[in-house]
Amino acid sequence: MRVAVVGAGVIGLTSALALKNAFPEYRVTIFAEIFTPDTTGDGSAGLWGPFLLGDTPREDIVKWSGITHRWMENFWKAGLAQETGLCLLPVSRVTSEINEELEPLWIKIVYGAHRYTIDELKKLSEQHNANYINGWHFVTYTCEPRRLLPWLTKKFVALGGELVRRKIRDLDELIEDGYELVINCSGLGARKLVGDNTVIPLRGQVSRASAPWLMHTFLIDDEDCNYIIPNTNTVVLGGTHQEGDYDLRVRDEDSKFIHEGCRRIFPSLKNAEIVKSWVGLRPGRPRVRLESEIYTTKNGKKCHVIHNYGHGGAGVTLCWGCALDVVEIAKNLNLIKSQNSKL
């Protein structure tokens, strides 16, 4: 079977790799206009950290993120941390806003979770000139896409997967070319590719600082928040979450918000050199779309399409869990096809 995967971000690469692992006989090709190191994901910190994604069922978020966490754990145990950009770090995740998830379902997945006491929150609030009302301390992974994406690409190609640099403007192109199954991991591109106007850009601006003394992730889980996330060689300072904003320029006002907020949390960052500032557009959607449909071309040809997009800023957190669901859908489609051929 010839399979086309549209998109070479972390969702596209993991979907393609999982399919090639499950179906070695399939000819799987990734089509994308941009590959690593120039994708949106390459600029992100890769922190494993589930959060609510619109109407996406919480049980799905927990399932997908849990599978991905175990996948990362396997990297750690196998000695693949350096190759995949994996770090195991303590994390403080706090909020100043009322949140009904006082004990999030995913907290059982991470290591050594401790809910901050009122006294601990008060002390942190005094240090940061904030008003934290809830928070957790735990240990989990960052999986830096600048290393993970090349590793995934290498593994996929080693299994016989193909890469084609080509902008796909219409799914008809692939179906008319003879592809029997299409996996749509086009992210923000789904707006034009499949006419999904519910997908919107979530503008994220971050800075990378040289601060090797920092080995603790701190995340303020509010609407407008700052975060500090150490990676292998730099520390990611963030960030913005601006819906419907396509501006890829680094804005001075956002840089000021990021640097001042992060220095308030960790004053030692005043001595850190800012190596780079970056902007990326994450694919937001009211609900992660992970489902199949029978697509009909303008010429009447039919083809199964599996959609896997709309993960917002949680692509790394959900990627392997979603990829395995793509495999399960493909298995079911293959079973239906086999049964129909016997009729």
Side-chain angles (χ1 to χ4, degrees), residues 134-317:
N134 192 32
W136 290 85
H137 182 275
F138 52 90
V139 176
T140 192
Y141 300 102
T142 57
C143 202
E144 188 177 355
R146 289 197 299 180
R147 295 194 181 191
L148 177 63
L149 297 185
W151 184 86
L152 290 169
T153 303
K154 181 180 176 182
K155 289 293 178 183
F156 173 68
V157 171
L159 290 174
E162 301 176 61
L163 307 174
V164 175
R165 190 179 295 273
R166 172 179 156 192
K167 183 176 178 63
I168 304 299
R169 302 179 187 279
D170 193 314
L171 294 182
D172 288 29
E173 300 174 32
L174 299 171
I175 299 165
E176 295 296 338
D177 283 349
Y179 286 92
E180 302 162 82
L181 175 63
V182 176
I183 316 298
N184 173 23
C185 305
S186 57
L188 188 58
R191 283 183 63 87
K192 292 183 178 179
L193 184 64
V194 293
D196 188 349
N197 290 328
T198 68
V199 185
I200 61 170
L202 304 176
R203 182 182 178 275
Q205 180 172 321
V206 299
S207 292
R208 285 188 177 269
S210 178
W213 59 87
L214 276 185
M215 299 183 183
H216 188 129
T217 293
F218 199 97
L219 171 66
I220 303 175
D221 203 7
D222 293 346
E223 189 67 29
D224 294 312
C225 69
N226 290 113
Y227 52 82
I228 298 102
I229 306 173
N231 275 172
T232 48
N233 295 322
T234 56
V235 177
V236 177
L237 311 179
T240 67
H241 181 90
Q242 294 145 330
E243 295 187 5
D245 193 332
Y246 284 91
D247 187 5
L248 288 170
R249 296 173 302 138
V250 173
R251 297 175 184 162
D252 290 341
E253 61 270 27
D254 289 334
S255 294
K256 182 180 179 183
F257 167 77
I258 291 167
H259 300 161
E260 289 182 354
C262 291
R263 288 165 184 165
R264 188 167 56 249
I265 297 167
F266 290 144
S268 65
L269 284 168
K270 292 177 182 177
N271 301 318
E273 176 192 358
I274 301 300
V275 177
K276 182 181 180 181
S277 292
W278 173 89
V279 175
L281 304 180
R282 296 162 294 199
R285 194 175 186 271
R287 181 172 180 156
V288 173
R289 188 180 187 191
L290 182 44
E291 62 184 2
S292 66
E293 70 164 325
I294 298 176
Y295 179 90
T296 305
T297 69
K298 298 177 185 68
N299 292 330
K301 284 190 177 181
K302 296 185 183 296
C303 177
H304 283 292
V305 175
I306 301 175
H307 300 284
N308 185 16
Y309 65 86
H311 301 76
V316 170
T317 300

